Amino acid sequence: TQVSSILQGAYHHPLSREWQAERQLSKNMFIYPLFVSDTEDEEASIDSLPNQKRWGLKKLIPFVATLVAKGLRSVILFGVPMSQPKDEVGTLADDPNGPVIQAIKLLKENFPELYIVCDVCLCEYTSHGHCGVLLEDGTLNRERSVQRIAKVAENYARAGAHCLAPSDMMDGRILEIKQALIDAQLAHKVMLMSYSAKFSGNLYGPFRDAAGSCPSFGDRRAYQLPPVGGGLAKRALIRDLNEGADAVIVKPSTFYLDVMKSAAEICENIPVVAYHVSGEFAMLHAAAEKNIVDLKDIAFESHNGFLRAGAKLIISYFTPEFLDWL
Ligand SMILES: NCC[C@H](CC(=O)O)[C@@H](CN)CCC(=O)O
Ligand SMILES: [Zn+2]
């Protein structure tokens, strides 16, 4: 036997196996998605999204307090307006009395250390359910969309958000938002976390159930990236980096580790964020229910994969469990 053929000695003991990790999961890398509704006493479970709830402002704080006590460092907010009419431009998105702006203020009052990320999109707030403003023919009006998205982002920043995460996928929205922050003298205080490599596909269903954000017609294939487009994702990552993104999100995660690795190489000087989306999360739960996997083991195996692929931050519905497990 060649001496160099022997590897097993390096990982025979559990600790030596831990030592093989370039990076290890830690509480401070988790960002927990929160669905905030405009019904103040709501605490509604979401059938298709296990263990997740839609929170009214009265129930949100006590819930988040339990997680902060376990070491939660960051949340990402998704507003779910249920009692107001939606319109073509998503006016409700930055309604000063709406769920997102109210939640930003409430969370900052109660948890001054908590890092608040706001997803910025229109689909939860538009009558048509698309992520932008539409032209007559039902395709996206890019200019109006990026103006609207930038205004919503600016208003979240004015309300106190620490970080903006535009998930709309409109071309040029990062530049537009960065400029709006500069003009508002907020650019030095607010991080811009772009969903740069975000793919259309079949893994967002539970989220859309939770947020009521299904497109009323068509789909998002014309503005979220085609799952086959590895090169296109690289172009989007380069573009957003050049437009001023301070972090880039790859989403979904499990089927896109190659893209995550490219992101870590192309955007080597900014954090890459893995978003373990609702469909991926629900699939692992379904597999665990059928005893195909152990839930904790598969959560670690999948999330360690994101670190191996170069992610530094993880948006995950498993965050509460990891606060117990880590
Ligand atoms: N703005 C798009 C929302 C998008 C889902 C969709 O395309 O509807 C994601 C939220 N940023 C879904 C996230 C998830 O499935 O967990
Ligand atoms: Zn959207």
Side-chain angles (χ1 to χ4, degrees):
T1 306
Q2 289 298 318
V3 172
S4 61
S5 308
I6 305 301
L7 298 182
Q8 290 177 1
Y11 58 95
H12 184 72
H13 187 285
L15 183 59
S16 60
R17 288 194 278 272
E18 283 184 42
W19 288 349
Q20 302 305 322
E22 276 79 29
R23 202 177 298 125
Q24 294 192 338
L25 293 168
S26 58
K27 293 185 181 183
N28 67 351
M29 58 179 59
F30 282 89
I31 303 171
Y32 184 46
L34 284 177
F35 296 98
V36 188
S37 98
D38 58 356
T39 309
E40 61 181 16
D41 290 324
E42 187 164 23
E43 183 178 347
S45 298
I46 303 147
D47 294 345
S48 56
L49 193 53
N51 301 346
Q52 310 304 311
K53 291 186 176 176
R54 238 191 331 262
W55 299 95
L57 291 174
K58 275 220 174 18
K59 299 285 183 64
L60 179 69
I61 299 308
F63 170 62
V64 174
T66 62
L67 299 178
V68 169
K70 294 197 289 190
L72 178 69
R73 303 293 300 277
S74 181
V75 295
I76 179 167
L77 303 182
F78 294 100
V80 189
M82 319 263 284
S83 59
Q84 307 261 346
K86 301 181 181 182
D87 64 15
E88 301 287 295
V89 295
T91 303
L92 291 175
D94 52 351
D95 169 4
N97 301 310
V100 177
I101 288 185
Q102 288 300 312
I104 294 168
K105 295 179 175 174
L106 217 49
L107 288 166
K108 286 191 82 167
E109 270 163 42
N110 286 274
F111 312 108
E113 302 304 309
L114 188 64
Y115 193 76
I116 298 168
V117 184
C118 282
D119 181 88
V120 183
C121 197
L122 302 183
C123 50
E124 297 132 75
Y125 311 99
T126 46
S127 45
H128 46 71
H130 280 283
C131 301
V133 178
L134 303 180
L135 291 165
E136 288 303 307
D137 67 356
T139 60
L140 284 162
N141 180 335
R142 191 199 75 83
E143 286 68 22
R144 289 278 289 112
S145 296
V146 297
Q147 275 167 11
R148 180 73 189 114
I149 289 283
K151 182 50 73 184
V152 172
E154 177 191 329
N155 285 333
Y156 288 173
R158 287 183 186 281
H162 299 109
C163 178
L164 304 167
S167 65
D168 58 301
M169 293 304 284
M170 300 302 127
D171 283 336
R173 91 271 204 209
I174 299 305
L175 185 62
E176 199 85 11
I177 294 172
K178 201 70 163 185
Q179 192 56 58
L181 292 175
I182 291 167
D183 297 347
Q185 293 194 315
L186 286 168
H188 65 295
K189 294 163 76 172
V190 178
M191 183 180 198
L192 196 36
M193 179 185 282
S194 177
Y195 287 78
S196 303
K198 171 175 178 174
F199 295 85
S200 70
N202 308 280
L203 290 166
Y204 301 140
F207 174 95
R208 293 177 185 169
D209 293 343
S213 58
C214 277
S216 59
F217 68 89
D219 54 46
R220 305 200 199 289
R221 290 199 183 102
Y223 49 91
Q224 292 174 351
L225 302 179
V228 295
L232 186 56
K234 290 181 187 172
R235 291 173 67 193
L237 286 158
I238 292 164
R239 176 206 47 199
D240 286 1
L241 184 64
N242 292 333
E243 289 190 2
D246 303 306
V248 288
I249 301 174
V250 177
K251 165 188 185 180
S253 52
T254 313
F255 300 152
Y256 297 89
L257 295 182
D258 57 325
V259 176
M260 217 174 282
K261 188 133 191 66
S262 300
E265 285 153 6
I266 291 170
C267 305
E268 59 182 330
N269 301 319
I270 62 173
V272 171
V273 188
Y275 192 146
H276 190 243
V277 301
S278 59
E280 294 175 294
F281 174 78
M283 282 196 307
L284 296 187
H285 269 273
E289 274 160 36
K290 293 170 74 85
N291 289 318
I292 297 167
V293 296
D294 171 86
L295 192 65
K296 178 176 177 182
D297 289 345
I298 201 69
F300 270 91
E301 186 170 349
S302 57
H303 287 48
N304 274 314
F306 310 151
L307 299 190
R308 210 184 44 249
K312 288 212 175 69
L313 303 174
I314 304 176
I315 299 173
S316 177
Y317 298 98
F318 275 119
T319 298
E321 285 77 10
F322 275 106
L323 296 177
D324 289 330
W325 294 335
L326 291 175

